[in-house]
Amino acid sequence: MGAGTGPTASPGHGGRARRFAVFAAAGVAVLAGSAVIGFLLTRGALSPTGEEAADCAPVSEPGHVVGDGPGSLDSPLGTVLAFDHAYYVERSAEKAFEAVSPSSRMTPDRLRVEGVDRVPEGTTHCVDARELSPTLLEVSLTESPPDAEPVVIRQRVRVAENPDGTWGIVSITPAG
């Protein structure tokens, strides 16, 4: 039975449902399209921590990770670690792109030109990521450039499961 049909449907109900579906689809398209732009904007919305970079002692517990290690595409949290490790440690947009979902609009060229190439050589990082839902993560990324104060970048990272069972980043947007 289609929306807006049947004995309990009120007039106009189908129109509201269709409008809602259109707005939901538009929201998904905006999120997917904002991946690179959001990542780059969050890099511009940095806040100095006002202190020396803290030790990035690894933490791995259900729904929460801290670290700067290579991560893994086997889980949403591990995917964020893998992306940032490739970005900061390996300085490879191509390697970082391996942690990107096929549904994202990110490209290796944009990651390189507008991201990796702009990060000073020797910059270290620390990821503190928490699951808000199975596909939405809250990330505090501490970026420590050489000869500069560390900054914290707060992000919301949306991920999706790939057909092969691995995970990929769909979008990265600023978080308040």
Side-chain angles (χ1 to χ4, degrees):
M1 210 179 258
T5 61
T8 61
S10 63
H13 179 273
R16 275 194 303 262
R18 278 189 290 275
R19 281 193 302 275
F20 178 77
V22 167
F23 287 130
V28 168
V30 167
L31 281 175
S34 68
V36 171
I37 292 167
F39 181 70
L40 299 171
L41 287 176
T42 60
R43 292 204 30 75
L46 307 176
S47 60
T49 63
E51 59 190 51
E52 289 298 310
D55 178 36
C56 193
V59 172
S60 181
E61 55 192 32
H64 181 223
V65 297
V66 175
D68 59 4
S72 164
L73 302 182
D74 294 336
S75 70
L77 293 169
T79 298
V80 171
L81 287 173
F83 180 87
D84 286 328
H85 188 270
Y87 191 92
Y88 290 98
V89 177
E90 298 178 50
R91 299 187 54 81
S92 170
E94 290 76 19
K95 185 74 174 167
F97 192 71
E98 292 175 11
V100 172
S101 171
S103 65
S104 175
R105 293 190 181 181
M106 282 191 231
T107 67
D109 286 341
R110 286 192 71 186
L111 280 175
R112 181 183 49 76
V113 171
E114 298 173 13
V116 173
D117 287 354
R118 291 188 179 187
V119 174
E121 191 80 39
T123 298
T124 60
H125 77 290
C126 186
V127 173
D128 185 335
R130 295 180 186 277
E131 286 185 3
L132 297 177
S133 76
T135 60
L136 183 62
L137 311 174
E138 181 176 67
V139 177
S140 290
L141 171 64
T142 302
E143 185 178 88
S144 302
D147 302 323
E149 287 194 39
V151 291
V152 176
I153 306 164
R154 300 196 192 293
Q155 306 168 324
R156 293 284 168 102
V157 178
R158 184 152 312 272
V159 296
E161 190 170 9
N162 297 321
D164 65 0
T166 63
W167 289 83
I169 295 172
V170 174
S171 65
I172 302 170
T173 56

